Amino acid sequence: MASSQLTERALPAERAVEYEPDAARLGLAELPDRDLGIDELRDLVASIACDPDTWTHLVAFDDEERVYAALHRDAHVDVWLLCWTPVNDTGWHDHDISSGAVAVVAGELVENNLTLGDGAVETRIGAGHAFSFGPEHIHRLNGAVPGSVSVHAYSPPLRRMGQYAVSDAGVLRRMSLSSSDELRPLD
């Protein structure tokens, strides 16, 4: 890794882009027979976000358990709809070997990134914005406002994730989870 990359604070949510509802994008019907790159993943979630007929019937909210639904899965990508309240929190996590993208379709999400120098850095992503990230990305997400909805895509499809906790002594630890396990903050 080049030294300039080591000094740059790489927070993908800070580089979220506004997506246009009528822009031509990569959709589910045009998926290539290979894993997708981060720009393609961002285009895919924006395309699906702009097609509410495919997901609005799945929208629901629950403070006790985050509501989510699989929208698509094949050998190279999986796509999810996630519904958020401010109480819903993924805890610190990574996506193992998968790159990902998030499009916020309603409300606002809060992404936190853990830095050694500044602690947790918070970025808010509003409706109509999308961002993408590589497999090295560690973050924490929650709904900033009630009724937040987002579309997420991962390539290759999620099989495992890392869940992180910071002990009272400040030690960071990782637990490996199956993609079928719900992300929640660890104690």
Side-chain angles (χ1 to χ4, degrees), residues 31-156:
L31 288 175
D33 189 24
R34 60 172 171 74
D35 291 349
L36 302 180
I38 61 173
D39 292 338
E40 292 171 310
L41 285 166
R42 188 182 60 237
D43 286 348
L44 178 61
V45 294
S47 175
I48 294 168
C50 292
D51 187 11
D53 291 342
T54 62
W55 51 263
T56 54
H57 64 286
L58 300 167
V59 172
F61 303 97
D62 186 333
D63 280 342
E64 298 300 315
E65 293 188 33
R66 190 165 29 96
V67 176
Y68 53 94
L71 299 177
H72 173 85
R73 186 175 181 104
D74 63 27
H76 300 286
V77 66
D78 58 355
V79 181
W80 295 84
L81 177 76
L82 282 77
C83 304
W84 303 86
T85 73
V87 176
N88 300 147
D89 184 347
T90 63
W92 298 105
H93 68 280
D94 66 41
H95 303 94
D96 199 43
I97 63 168
S98 300
S99 293
V102 176
V104 181
V105 296
E108 186 177 48
L109 296 185
V110 175
E111 182 189 51
N112 281 284
N113 299 102
L114 190 58
T115 69
L116 295 179
D118 298 327
V121 175
E122 180 178 290
T123 306
R124 295 172 81 94
I125 309 98
H129 290 82
F131 68 98
S132 56
F133 48 86
E136 74 287 347
H137 189 57
I138 300 169
H139 66 167
R140 181 179 201 150
L141 288 173
N142 70 285
V145 297
S148 297
V149 179
S150 55
V151 175
H152 300 234
Y154 305 98
S155 186

Side-chain angles (χ1 to χ4, degrees), residues 1-10 136-137:
M1 185 177 284
S3 63
S4 64
Q5 290 174 318
L6 292 175
T7 59
E8 172 185 318
R9 190 168 82 182
E136 74 287 347
H137 189 57

Side-chain angles (χ1 to χ4, degrees), residues 140-187:
R140 181 179 201 150
L141 288 173
N142 70 285
V145 297
S148 297
V149 179
S150 55
V151 175
H152 300 234
Y154 305 98
S155 186
L158 288 177
R159 289 182 178 81
R160 305 229 34 98
M161 296 177 291
Q163 182 83 49
Y164 295 83
V166 179
S167 73
D168 290 341
V171 176
L172 185 67
R173 60 184 170 92
R174 181 184 192 269
M175 290 178 29
S176 185
L177 301 175
S178 165
S179 62
S180 63
D181 293 328
E182 183 176 353
L183 291 170
R184 294 179 177 273
L186 294 177
D187 296 328

